[in-house]
Amino acid sequence: MFQLPFPVRDANAASGSDQFGNLPEWDLSDLYTGEDAPELKRDLQWLESECSSFASDYEGKLADIDADGLLTCVLRNEKINGIAGRIMSYAGLRYYQLTTDADRAKFMSDMQEAITVFTTPLVFFTLELNRIDDAVLTAHFAANTDLARYKPVFDRIRAMKPYQLSDELEKFLHDLGVVGDAWERLFDETIAGLTFCIDGDELNIEGTLNLLTEQDRSKREAASRELAAVFQDNIKIFARVHNTQAKEKEIVDRWRGMPSAQAGRHLSNDVEPEVVEALRSAVVAAYPKLSHRYYDLKRKWLGLERMQVWDRNAPLPMENTRTVSWAEAEQTVMEAYTAFDPRMGELAAPFFSKGWIDAGVKPGKAPGAFAHPTVTDVHPYVMLNYLGKPRDVMTLAHELGHGVHQVLAAGQGEMLSSTPLTLAETASVFGEMLTFRKMLDKAETKEQRKILLAGKVEDMINTVVRQIAFYDFECKLHAARAEGELTPDDINALWMSVQAESLGECFDFMDGYETFWAYIPHFVHSPFYVYAYAFGDGLVNALYSVYAEGDEGFEDKYFEMLKAGGSKHHKELLAPFGLDASDPKFWDKGLSMISGFIDELEAMED
């Protein structure tokens, strides 16, 4: 199955305006010029024919072909992935520009179904690869160095060997994938179609979430209560989607013999369960010195006895809420990237000038932000919902980091360029850190420095603490669903069980906040994705510490790490920097950076 991109930031953003300047829009013609483009028709015909030929040429024969023959087979499979990926990238990106458009939704669905039908005969490929004896495969790698380059791909495929089903069942599950996609589309279209009425204005979800960062507390409260009311009105749909998706996953996992609901995600992330558990344990243990301590500080700054949920992302009282134009946002990020290394600025520049970014907020556009790599012979596309908030500048820096990473990794080819989610956040979070440090260096007053530090701490808490709380919620959700159907109230209770623990004792929770799980796309699109954010933030904090200490040749080593794409394990990628994510103390190094920022904020109170 070819997965579509989806919003990847738990960011607050909302509806567009001319005040930001000339916001860029995507030019998708580098993929196809339209639904009726002759190149698209040609590629669909080629894909159908090549998938059939591939199956005819190789099914039942992989165990007997030599190293050169296996390389030819792999290269043909890679080209199939590239053409299918191009088609689905085009269909998916058009859909996310306007999810409420029936024609775009139909086109995407038709493309997905066609590609599923075409590629079902190829299910044998990974199954038969896993039946090749280890010694035979090792001999093939020794005999052909070009084939040996794909060893990381083979390793990831063979990691699934213990959980492989019969050929017939695997084909059945492949075909059934379009049904799961339909539930994801129901979620996307429901979210995009929601309207929220605040002070007589009708807003979409982005516009409403954006009000949670307003200086006026009454506006934040109004937005929170309206979010709760609309989520409650649609809670049965959201509960049905989550119940169905979690049950489908439980059934597939049970048939495969997966040891846990999380195991599949760990395998796809090429990360050991004990490493994830070490990360999770380190973050939970740090709640008191991170989120609890920071929010208690913020409570005092806001002059409150108790914090409410609508105060979590509030600006500081002394903060002059201003609109950042698109031109200023571009200049800020480009300056930070170029100052780190001119090569990074050169890689980022085309995103702004060639239609690789879609920045404006428009009715029906998907919420959030993402960078989609498309295919290695085209280029990535970045989606934003830009509203001129300082945090939107950080989101631009984040997604542009993804884009630069994807451009650099493209040299690995279609099968080796894609990084596991845990490493996919490296360049994005590093890009944010570069931008933040550049802005901090420019701070002219203690007050400006305090505002910037507080904003960065909040972003890091949202990326680390909040995402681990999300992960715990998902663990509880999937465990509970395995025991039976969950009512909306059941899911609400699971959500609330992680909120107080992660946010701290200074918070009260309004009636209705228990439904706020409903709009998080990761839970539906990619279960257990969320810990990758905490992984990436911790990794980058440790990495940035090495950079700040003046590690010789850091920039070159950093570029080599990004160029590696998915061709190396996290242990091998981090070794040149003297870092090891499997060491439990590694996570403390990253968390101590957040704690250090809070120390500085506390010192400012004296």
Side-chain angles (χ1 to χ4, degrees):
M1 293 295 296
F2 295 90
Q3 294 298 311
L4 297 176
F6 61 92
V8 297
R9 286 286 281 173
D10 178 31
N12 296 303
S15 61
S17 168
D18 294 336
Q19 63 185 305
F20 311 128
N22 187 22
L23 294 177
E25 293 188 355
W26 280 335
D27 175 4
L28 298 179
S29 63
D30 289 343
L31 292 166
Y32 297 104
T33 55
E35 288 185 23
D36 57 353
E39 294 83 3
L40 176 59
K41 183 178 180 181
R42 175 202 67 201
D43 284 351
L44 282 166
Q45 290 173 342
W46 179 88
L47 192 63
E48 182 177 21
S49 172
E50 177 61 9
C51 287
S52 177
S53 297
F54 186 92
S56 175
D57 292 344
Y58 293 111
E59 188 166 12
K61 304 169 186 174
L62 287 189
D64 301 320
I65 61 177
D66 61 15
D68 292 346
L70 185 56
L71 175 62
T72 301
C73 173
V74 167
L75 293 175
R76 284 179 66 180
N77 181 72
E78 188 167 43
K79 186 174 180 183
I80 288 170
N81 287 341
I83 296 298
R86 178 187 281 257
I87 294 168
M88 284 314 303
S89 293
Y90 177 71
L93 293 173
R94 282 186 76 250
Y95 170 70
Y96 277 116
Q97 281 184 301
L98 190 58
T99 61
T100 51
D101 182 76
D103 290 337
R104 293 186 186 214
K106 172 180 163 49
F107 176 70
M108 185 184 70
S109 181
D110 287 348
M111 293 301 99
Q112 181 73 81
E113 289 183 18
I115 288 174
T116 298
V117 170
F118 296 163
T119 57
T120 294
L122 309 188
V123 172
F124 79 89
F125 179 64
T126 56
L127 304 180
E128 288 193 28
L129 282 180
N130 281 345
R131 295 192 191 112
I132 298 175
D133 186 82
D134 288 344
V136 172
L137 206 52
T138 300
H140 285 343
F141 292 149
N144 190 311
T145 54
D146 289 334
L147 179 65
R149 196 174 78 81
Y150 289 91
K151 184 179 182 299
V153 176
F154 284 83
D155 289 345
R156 284 196 286 274
I157 290 171
R158 289 168 83 81
M160 281 295 294
K161 189 174 180 178
Y163 313 110
Q164 193 167 290
L165 300 174
S166 69
D167 293 14
E168 193 171 16
L169 271 176
E170 292 289 355
K171 286 181 180 178
F172 170 74
L173 288 176
H174 181 85
D175 272 353
L176 198 63
V178 293
V179 179
D181 290 345
W183 286 98
E184 292 175 21
R185 279 179 49 207
L186 173 63
F187 172 84
D188 290 336
E189 289 165 14
T190 302
I191 284 288
L194 295 180
T195 57
F196 304 83
C197 186
I198 299 171
D199 295 334
D201 293 330
E202 277 200 359
L203 301 173
N204 63 6
I205 191 167
E206 290 290 343
T208 311
L209 289 170
N210 186 60
L211 293 177
L212 298 181
T213 62
E214 283 291 318
Q215 190 68 260
D216 185 339
R217 194 174 191 232
S218 65
K219 286 186 179 179
R220 301 197 305 268
E221 178 178 356
S224 297
R225 295 198 183 281
E226 179 67 0
L227 285 164
V230 174
F231 292 158
Q232 183 59 46
D233 289 343
N234 294 272
I235 203 67
K236 289 184 179 178
I237 295 176
F238 292 124
R240 173 58 48 223
V241 170
H242 282 68
N243 267 290
T244 305
Q245 294 286 76
K247 185 59 181 177
E248 180 188 30
K249 186 179 189 316
E250 186 273 325
I251 291 169
V252 174
D253 284 351
R254 175 159 36 88
W255 274 77
R256 291 194 182 284
M258 288 284 181
S260 69
Q262 303 86 352
R265 174 61 60 205
H266 300 336
L267 283 168
S268 67
N269 281 345
D270 196 19
V271 64
E272 301 77 13
E274 56 271 20
V275 172
V276 178
E277 185 53 35
L279 163 65
R280 185 248 168 215
S281 298
V283 173
V284 172
Y287 284 172
K289 68 176 183 180
L290 299 180
S291 49
H292 297 188
R293 186 163 61 118
Y294 173 75
Y295 288 128
D296 200 48
L297 259 182
K298 186 169 185 177
R299 176 187 63 78
K300 295 171 187 172
W301 296 335
L302 296 175
L304 300 172
E305 287 295 321
R306 304 283 298 165
M307 291 273 279
Q308 254 296 352
V309 293
W310 53 76
D311 300 316
R312 186 172 62 84
N313 286 321
L316 303 190
M318 75 289 289
E319 192 169 338
N320 178 24
T321 305
R322 70 183 187 93
T323 297
V324 182
S325 71
W326 178 255
E328 184 182 348
E330 176 182 345
Q331 181 182 352
T332 299
V333 176
M334 284 295 294
E335 197 176 291
Y337 274 38
T338 302
F340 169 71
D341 191 298
R343 290 173 292 179
M344 188 175 283
E346 290 169 8
L347 288 163
F351 284 85
F352 294 97
S353 61
K354 294 190 175 181
W356 298 3
I357 299 176
D358 196 297
V361 181
K362 297 160 250 183
K365 183 177 174 180
F370 61 73
H372 182 48
T374 70
V375 286
T376 55
D377 59 353
V378 184
H379 56 77
Y381 283 92
V382 165
M383 191 195 87
L384 305 171
N385 278 279
Y386 188 80
L387 285 153
K389 294 284 180 79
R391 277 181 174 154
D392 293 337
V393 180
M394 287 299 176
T395 302
L396 170 60
H398 180 101
E399 301 305 340
L400 199 60
H402 278 305
V404 167
H405 192 175
Q406 291 158 359
V407 169
L408 284 168
Q412 294 288 345
E414 210 60 50
M415 293 176 74
L416 282 165
S417 62
S418 180
T419 54
L421 294 177
T422 43
L423 298 172
E425 294 302 322
T426 304
S428 54
V429 180
F430 197 83
E432 276 191 82
M433 183 63 80
L434 291 173
T435 304
F436 164 70
R437 294 285 185 175
K438 178 61 68 175
M439 294 169 74
L440 196 64
D441 288 344
K442 288 184 173 182
E444 296 175 354
T445 65
K446 177 181 174 181
E447 193 173 79
Q448 288 177 354
R449 186 175 181 88
K450 181 176 181 178
I451 290 167
L452 285 167
L453 278 170
K456 184 59 177 173
V457 168
E458 288 191 21
D459 285 345
M460 293 170 109
I461 287 173
N462 284 338
T463 304
V464 178
V465 170
R466 189 159 165 78
Q467 302 303 325
I468 289 299
F470 283 0
Y471 176 66
D472 281 353
F473 165 72
E474 283 192 276
C475 291
K476 292 183 176 187
L477 175 76
H478 285 265
R481 182 62 184 94
E483 300 299 318
E485 176 87 6
L486 300 176
T487 67
D489 285 344
D490 292 334
I491 304 176
N492 292 347
L494 295 174
W495 173 255
M496 293 307 297
S497 73
V498 303
Q499 292 302 303
E501 179 190 18
S502 63
L503 294 177
E505 293 182 2
C506 70
F507 273 91
D508 289 330
F509 298 96
M510 68 169 190
D511 289 342
Y513 181 67
E514 65 273 11
T515 63
F516 274 45
W517 53 268
Y519 79 96
I520 310 297
H522 311 70
F523 301 155
V524 175
H525 284 275
S526 196
F528 305 108
Y529 179 115
V530 290
Y531 75 73
Y533 288 118
F535 193 109
D537 197 270
L539 188 154
V540 166
N541 290 345
L543 201 61
Y544 195 88
S545 295
V546 174
Y547 170 59
E549 289 162 7
D551 180 57
E552 188 176 350
F554 180 91
E555 291 85 354
D556 288 337
K557 287 188 282 188
Y558 179 74
F559 276 100
E560 287 306 309
M561 178 176 69
L562 300 189
K563 286 177 183 176
S567 67
K568 294 180 180 179
H569 185 263
H570 64 78
K571 221 171 177 64
E572 191 179 355
L573 282 174
L574 291 175
F577 304 96
L579 299 171
D580 182 1
S582 63
D583 180 356
K585 293 179 182 176
F586 171 84
W587 302 111
D588 293 331
K589 187 179 181 73
L591 295 172
S592 67
M593 180 179 286
I594 309 175
S595 185
F597 288 156
I598 301 173
D599 289 343
E600 185 174 345
L601 286 168
E602 283 184 334
M604 288 180 178
E605 298 300 289
D606 297 336

